[in-house]
Amino acid sequence: MFKIQQHAQHAMYSSQKFVYNVIRNHSVKLSRNLSTSTSNIPKLRIVMDLDECMVHTSGMVDRNNEIHIKHVSNIGAIFIDDFAVTERPGVHSFLDEISQFADIYAYTAGTEGYASHVFKHLDPHGKIFKKLLFRDSCVRTMDGQYRKDLKKFGDNVYIPERTVLIDNNPTSFVIQPKNGILIPDFFGHKEDEEKDTHLHTYALPILKQIVNVEDIRPILMGHMKIAIEKYR
């Protein structure tokens, strides 16, 4: 078991190092990409990760199996079979706010049988997320990692200059390392619930910064470099 965990940690570090090197070696020229004219700029596309980004799942769970919600609590958690899904603080108000200026999508490495129920809780009326992608749309590597390829959304959604993925896992950015916001993990601890404001105090200001920018990638790469140096 220790060897498996050690191998997984090594794979994670390698992916993180790859993203960091791409950003470090790229010459960021912000001035020519900071247009604030909105006349011909496509609407911002925001792609949200699920686990450890918007929610945390705890308890005995096999995410490969179909699941059924038993109870929805009034404290930000849904109970499904023998486990609980806890919402990141502020996730609903965050989604509501960004939906005012962007199209929102979701992309998870979780299976559809598991994640679809959580999305129904986050978006019960189906008005927030315009499209959901699950594990079968991820790219599986030889060492068992699941990487995300934003091209899976199709050309009508994925516009490189106007699409951003918000995720807690550096591995998710390997295919499109210039299109991400790396957010700290959310594990549902009590202390997290009391002080976790990353969606509103970290991600939201970046999104507002890029909402009218013609090519958002240079700005995102600048923030990504800082985040990786801080959290690695």
Side-chain angles (χ1 to χ4, degrees), residues 86 106 112 132-133 181 189 210 229 232:
T86 305
E112 185 172 357
L132 307 174
L133 292 185
I181 294 176
H189 300 147
I210 64 176
E229 289 177 340
R232 66 175 179 161

Side-chain angles (χ1 to χ4, degrees), residues 184-209:
D185 299 314
F186 172 66
F187 292 120
H189 300 147
K190 186 175 182 180
E191 56 269 25
D192 289 337
E193 296 179 16
E194 294 174 351
K195 66 180 182 180
D196 189 314
T197 61
H198 291 103
L199 289 175
H200 281 280
T201 61
Y202 179 66
L204 185 58
I206 298 176
L207 295 173
K208 288 185 175 180
Q209 180 186 9

Side-chain angles (χ1 to χ4, degrees), residues 7 16 54 107-108 122 131 133 158 184 200 222:
H7 178 70
Q16 181 172 301
M54 291 193 289
Y107 199 170
T108 176
L122 291 172
K131 186 174 182 178
L133 292 185
Y158 174 59
H200 281 280

Side-chain angles (χ1 to χ4, degrees), residues 154-172:
D155 294 338
N156 60 326
V157 173
Y158 174 59
I159 300 175
E161 297 85 359
R162 296 289 295 160
T163 305
V164 54
L165 169 64
I166 300 178
D167 206 305
N168 65 293
N169 187 349
T171 300
S172 299

Side-chain angles (χ1 to χ4, degrees), residues 44-54 88 94-95 98 101-102 104-108 148 150 163-170 172-173 179-184 198-200 202-208 210 220 224:
L44 186 66
R45 282 97 159 121
I46 300 173
V47 181
M48 298 295 302
D49 175 43
L50 182 63
D51 292 299
E52 280 66 67
C53 181
M54 291 193 289
R88 192 169 205 147
F94 173 77
L95 292 173
I98 64 176
F101 58 82
I104 308 175
Y105 303 84
Y107 199 170
T108 176
K148 296 175 181 177
L150 297 174
T163 305
V164 54
L165 169 64
I166 300 178
D167 206 305
N168 65 293
N169 187 349
S172 299
F173 306 113
N179 290 84
I181 294 176
L182 178 63
I183 194 167
H198 291 103
L199 289 175
H200 281 280
Y202 179 66
L204 185 58
I206 298 176
L207 295 173
K208 288 185 175 180
I210 64 176
L220 293 179
M224 179 69 77

Side-chain angles (χ1 to χ4, degrees), residues 61-67 83 109-115 135-136 140 146:
V61 53
D62 181 356
R63 297 182 190 179
N64 291 304
N65 293 336
E66 186 74 20
I67 57 177
F83 64 96
T111 61
E112 185 172 357
Y114 153 73
R135 179 178 295 179
D136 58 1
R140 187 174 184 179
Y146 290 95

